[in-house]
Amino acid sequence: MGLPTCDSCGHQWSWKNAFKMNFRFGGGTRCNNCGEKQYMTTKSFWKTWMILLPIFLIVPTFIAIEIAAFVVILLAIGILCATPYFLELSSEEKPMW
């Protein structure tokens, strides 16, 4: 498990570019090294969003009832920062559904 690499040239993406890619729906992002458009794989999309979904559902609940909100928020930020490491890239755009 590491940062994603370009499917065309093998260049390793930066954390910042991979993080942005996780929240880009449709369209791809060009590789900074070769300029080839890269897309998130379907497997990567579902893996990332199944990790993020509980954060979006649970964090507001804990904040609303004020149970260890600080700890829950720190955990959520940590998980969010780890999402680029789950990203896999492909040169072909495939449907996410």
Side-chain angles (χ1 to χ4, degrees):
M1 183 166 86
L3 289 170
T5 55
C6 175
D7 192 41
S8 297
C9 69
H11 175 74
Q12 186 175 29
W13 281 32
S14 68
W15 181 91
K16 181 180 175 181
N17 287 343
F19 186 79
K20 288 179 184 178
M21 182 73 160
N22 276 320
F23 300 99
R24 185 163 294 182
F25 300 105
T29 302
R30 297 214 177 267
C31 173
N32 290 338
N33 190 50
C34 67
E36 184 75 25
K37 209 165 197 182
Q38 297 293 296
Y39 303 93
M40 180 186 295
T41 64
T42 305
K43 177 184 171 186
S44 176
F45 173 82
W46 287 108
K47 189 176 1 176
T48 301
W49 283 100
M50 288 301 116
I51 291 168
L52 292 177
L53 186 64
I55 292 173
F56 294 126
L57 297 176
I58 294 171
V59 170
T61 305
F62 278 105
I63 292 172
I65 58 176
E66 299 177 17
I67 298 177
F70 181 72
V71 173
V72 172
I73 290 171
L74 283 179
L75 181 63
I77 290 171
I79 292 170
L80 194 61
C81 289
T83 58
Y85 295 97
F86 298 106
L87 180 63
E88 296 170 6
L89 300 173
S90 172
S91 296
E92 298 176 17
E93 185 175 18
K94 295 181 182 171
M96 295 299 168
W97 320 110

